[in-house]
Amino acid sequence: MNFFLALFLIIPAFAQSDFQFQQSLKRLIRNASMPDVSPGMVVASPSRTNPNYYYDWVRDTSLSMKALIDVWEISKNPAIEKMLYIWVDSETRRQNTYTLSGLGEPKYNIDGTGFEGPWGRPQNDGPALRAISMIKFGRLLIDSGKRDYVQRKLYGGMIPAMGPVKKDLEYTAHHWREPNFEPWEEEMGLHFYNMLVQYTALKVGSEFAFEMGDGGAAAFYKHEAYAIGEYIRKNFLSEQVGIKVSAVVTRGLGYKHSGIDVTPLLALNHTYPYQDLISLNDPYVKKYLEVLKSTFQNLYGINSTYRGMGVAIGRYPEDRYDGYTTGGKGNPWFLATLAVAEFQCLSGNKRSSRGQFDRVHFHSDKTGQLDEQFNDTTGFMQGAYELTWSHGAYITASLKCQK
Ligand code: NOJ
Ligand code: NOJ
């Protein structure tokens, strides 16, 4: 695709020096434009067996598109803009497709139909993340004079002709109290990650609805956001671990006991700079980060075998998913290790982020490929190859750390 070349020219200031950034961008775009996949849908990985990730997850796609929106914000590359319109159309179609759990359906087949096998559903982080990404896109479009498109196609306040943003906000406002699966698709309950992204979607959604002339909805979203905020402040802060992964688990693995998980960190990154509930410098956040880092520092052999770099981080200490089966041992993940870098840059601690990037580069294969995990003792990559979310996480962390 020839528009990569254009990108090299448009954002040379930081990008030229950053091989992995360009590779991640190219590889993310590749996973977002597979020829046999319905246009606008993004495969989580090109891997079709062991594991089969050749599906579109709403969470992965919303986060990957957010990375592309961030790139578009600074490059204004027309080919990326076009991809984003195609994504909006595809999400609009998807929202009007029957699924087993409505908009909470986490995973779709590559022809756009809902996946109907057994799965952890619903996952209500998806609609909220999609709304956050689309609202950011919408605001940038308004700034470039495309308010009409935003009003008509993106927001679409007129019932029943609801646009994708309004649909996601309605869903979130009506379902946030219900137990649902966290991003690792393993435990049903009420989770910090899901609640903070739902809070944030409704908060920015309320402001956006107001600007779109939908005042009644704006007041409703604001009210619900406030209620989620109350719930979060009361139920997730902990003296032991800073921020707990879940407040309620209605159906769980049975071996996840520590309460320590990287998803609160992901939540803080994914809702920045919109959420105003918890400051990145809050003592509970500080405590949480210390516990998170020291837990994984001690858990993974590579953190002491290969020193002088940042800490390799996994999903949670009791993790048994090794990228192929759940009978194994959890490993560090690229997106989790990069999340520490991103957080450091957002919270004014940019200098320490260097070590996290070094860690990622060290365990990558140096060709630009990033898989899902890297082995906790050998350091070699494993799990779904070329995970779209790994590349998205690299792009987002780099952009936050360049500023
Ligand atoms: C795939 C899920 O996405 C992953 O998070 C989980 O650990 C495994 N299946 C096993 O349930
Ligand atoms: C497993 C991860 O646990 C989940 O968060 C993700 O959505 C899927 N893999 C697809 O990447």
Side-chain angles (χ1 to χ4, degrees):
M1 270 188 201
N2 53 9
F3 60 83
F4 298 129
L5 294 174
L7 270 171
F8 276 100
L9 297 174
I10 291 169
I11 42 173
F14 59 87
Q16 228 166 20
S17 59
D18 197 340
F19 173 76
Q20 183 62 50
F21 180 89
Q22 291 296 345
Q23 287 295 319
S24 281
L25 184 54
K26 174 172 140 184
R27 289 158 192 258
L28 183 148
I29 290 173
R30 190 195 289 157
N31 289 357
S33 25
M34 290 292 188
D36 59 348
V37 172
S38 170
M41 295 187 83
V42 184
V43 293
S45 149
S47 177
R48 294 169 191 253
T49 51
N50 193 36
N52 185 356
Y53 273 34
Y54 212 68
Y55 294 94
D56 178 308
W57 271 261
V58 177
R59 166 181 43 263
D60 297 46
T61 297
S62 301
L63 294 170
S64 304
M65 289 300 123
K66 177 75 170 328
L68 270 194
I69 292 164
D70 290 350
V71 171
W72 182 66
E73 180 177 16
I74 48 173
S75 70
K76 290 287 148 78
N77 181 289
I80 291 186
E81 182 174 342
K82 195 170 159 207
M83 282 185 72
L84 294 170
Y85 291 130
I86 295 172
W87 163 66
V88 170
D89 288 344
S90 143
E91 295 296 351
T92 306
R93 274 197 303 278
R94 147 145 79 190
Q95 287 180 332
N96 292 294
T97 300
Y98 168 80
T99 71
L100 294 179
S101 53
L103 295 194
E105 192 59 35
K107 169 174 160 182
Y108 291 72
N109 301 308
I110 57 167
D111 65 358
T113 58
F115 175 74
E116 297 199 341
W119 208 254
R121 61 169 67 85
Q123 296 179 20
N124 292 342
D125 58 334
L129 290 171
R130 181 166 54 201
I132 294 171
S133 298
M134 283 195 184
I135 290 171
K136 166 135 197 204
F137 184 41
R139 292 200 184 288
L140 294 173
L141 286 173
I142 291 173
D143 290 346
S144 53
K146 298 190 169 120
R147 172 176 272 278
D148 188 51
Y149 170 88
V150 175
Q151 184 91 44
R152 250 179 338 105
K153 297 265 272 201
L154 216 53
Y155 186 74
M158 243 56 98
I159 293 173
M162 290 204 290
V165 169
K166 171 111 183 176
K167 267 213 154 92
D168 282 337
L169 295 175
E170 288 293 316
Y171 180 84
T172 303
H174 285 100
H175 294 276
W176 65 267
R177 288 178 182 80
E178 299 163 14
N180 65 106
F181 281 82
E182 36 64 64
W184 310 140
E185 319 187 283
E186 297 174 322
E187 298 211 313
M188 174 105 161
L190 296 175
H191 319 285
F192 183 84
Y193 182 87
N194 299 40
M195 295 199 98
L196 195 67
V197 300
Q198 291 176 106
Y199 167 83
T200 304
L202 291 176
K203 180 181 178 278
V204 295
S206 162
E207 292 153 11
F208 195 62
F210 187 78
E211 286 163 41
M212 294 288 114
D214 200 5
F220 172 52
Y221 302 150
K222 189 173 175 185
H223 182 264
E224 295 303 304
Y226 183 83
I228 304 178
E230 289 277 279
Y231 187 92
I232 292 177
R233 296 219 48 110
K234 279 200 190 105
N235 294 283
F236 290 97
L237 304 180
S238 139
E239 300 303 326
Q240 286 75 39
V241 301
I243 305 177
K244 309 189 276 192
V245 55
S246 303
V248 174
V249 175
T250 53
R251 186 143 59 88
L253 293 167
Y255 55 77
K256 196 173 172 181
H257 297 304
S258 66
I260 302 166
D261 192 299
V262 75
T263 50
L265 176 63
L266 298 178
L268 294 170
N269 289 344
H270 297 166
T271 57
Y272 184 88
Y274 310 116
Q275 72 85 12
D276 51 359
L277 268 187
I278 303 174
S279 149
L280 300 190
N281 298 310
D282 187 289
Y284 283 102
V285 174
K286 286 219 163 84
K287 169 81 184 170
Y288 162 71
L289 251 106
E290 277 165 29
V291 172
L292 187 77
K293 286 197 276 184
S294 66
T295 301
F296 288 113
Q297 174 65 44
N298 298 329
L299 188 65
Y300 297 144
I302 49 168
N303 280 325
S304 34
T305 323
Y306 305 105
R307 291 159 187 277
M309 294 177 278
V311 54
I313 304 279
R315 301 197 298 182
Y316 56 92
E318 304 88 345
D319 198 358
R320 297 183 186 175
Y321 179 54
D322 62 9
Y324 310 105
T325 68
T326 347
K329 189 171 177 298
N331 294 294
W333 283 41
F334 285 110
L335 68 91
T337 305
L338 287 162
V340 172
E342 182 167 334
F343 180 85
Q344 286 165 334
C345 294
L346 296 178
S347 58
N349 195 8
K350 200 163 149 181
R351 284 176 74 202
S352 352
S353 72
R354 175 70 198 276
Q356 297 303 122
F357 284 104
D358 289 346
R359 175 65 71 183
V360 164
H361 298 150
F362 183 77
H363 296 287
S364 78
D365 71 349
K366 319 280 190 292
T367 65
Q369 179 169 335
L370 295 178
D371 300 345
E372 183 181 71
Q373 319 186 3
F374 44 103
N375 190 274
D376 71 318
T377 43
T378 67
F380 283 98
M381 293 199 285
Q382 68 184 64
Y385 69 95
E386 290 288 52
L387 188 79
T388 314
W389 190 356
S390 296
H391 289 301
Y394 192 93
I395 293 169
T396 325
S398 311
L399 291 177
K400 306 297 175 196
C401 292
Q402 292 296 338
K403 277 188 184 160

